[in-house]
């Protein structure tokens, strides 16, 4: 079965600084890869996704992520964070024989704190 | 014009009660899901429905029963609620072929 690791439980970044959130997955082939953001008391919003093709994908709110097959990683980046980016970020993997009906496997999340 | 909606947003109830959470999507997707987010914010798939058929049931107690009257709705009924059922429950919908899913706002269930 696939698994997702987000090694950083908390990350603190100053406003305006760059950001990188790490995500590693375990799966025999290339899975479908996603990043979601959850603001306090809110649902999950899809930031970006990778299915195939260009390994650098652009998402909403100025986020991008890079798929690196050799490292089984899909790290999320943003060049300059804003206070409104403070939230919980989840990396997720879609994989398995059932297709999309299998559901997503999520990492445990990274809590992003923005310092003024 | 909310894509995935859930009701209620908050649900406080006592142990032993039976409750339901409703979910509706207007995205035209053919697959809907229920996820549970625990107190440590860990998200885990509970159920998946594709065209009104249960596809997966991940080690969920049989006190939980999903019901899909049509492909735009997936309700979650919970019998004999226990303290450990306290969590946030998210409904999601997707095309089913690509794993891309869109989530509802969540229902925070508190069992006292």
């Amino acid at each position: 079965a696939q698994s997702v690791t987000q090694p950083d439980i908390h990350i603190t970044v100053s406003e305006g600084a760059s950001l990188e959130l790490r995500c590693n997955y375990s799966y025999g082939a290339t899975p479908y890869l996603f990043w979601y953001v959850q603001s306090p008391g809110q649902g999950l919003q899809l930031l970006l996704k990778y299915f195939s093709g260009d390994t650098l994908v652009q998402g909403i709110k100025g986020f991008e992520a890079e798929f690196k097959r050799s490292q089984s990683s899909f790290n999320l980046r943003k060049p300059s964070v804003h206070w409104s980016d403070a939230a919980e970020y989840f990396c997720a993997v879609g994989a398995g024989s059932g297709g999309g009906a299998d559901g997503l496997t999520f990492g445990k999340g990274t809590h992003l704190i923005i310092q003024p | 014009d909310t894509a995935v909606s859930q009701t209620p947003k908050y649900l406080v109830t006592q142990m032993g009660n039976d409750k339901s959470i409703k979910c509706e999507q207007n995205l035209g997707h053919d697959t809907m899901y229920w996820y549970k987010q625990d107190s440590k914010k860990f998200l885990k798939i509970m159920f998946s429905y594709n065209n009104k058929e249960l596809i997966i049931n991940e080690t969920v107690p049989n006190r939980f029963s999903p019901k899909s009257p049509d492909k735009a709705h997936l309700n979650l009924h919970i019998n004999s609620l226990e303290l450990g059922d306290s969590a946030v429950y998210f409904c999601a919908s997707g095309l089913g072929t690509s794993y891309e899913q869109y989530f509802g706002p969540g229902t925070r269930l508190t069992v006292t």
Side-chain angles (χ1 to χ4, degrees), chain A residues 32 34 36 38 41-44 46 49 51 88 90 94-96 98-104 106-108, chain B residues 9 31 33 35 37 40-43 45 48 50 55-56 90 96-106:
Chain A
Y32 294 86
F34 304 86
Y36 285 86
Q38 184 180 24
Q42 303 297 313
L44 284 84
L46 179 62
K49 62 197 180 211
F51 295 166
E88 195 82 20
F90 293 96
D102 284 348
L104 294 171
F106 282 86
K108 294 190 175 182
Chain B
K9 188 166 175 63
T31 306
Y33 311 82
Y35 288 83
Q37 185 175 47
K40 296 186 177 178
K41 294 194 181 272
F42 183 58
L43 281 148
I45 182 79
S48 166
N50 180 271
I55 301 300
I56 192 168
F90 285 101
T97 52
S98 68
Y99 289 95
E100 183 172 342
Q101 296 170 28
Y102 294 87
F103 285 76

Side-chain angles (χ1 to χ4, degrees), chain A residues 2 8 14 20-21 26-28 31-32 36 51 56 63-64 76 79 81 107 113:
Chain A
Q2 64 272 18
D8 304 305
S14 297
E20 182 169 27
L21 302 182
S26 173
Y27 184 61
Y32 294 86
Y36 285 86
F51 295 166
L56 184 63
F63 285 93
E64 66 179 26
L76 182 71
V81 297
I113 300 165

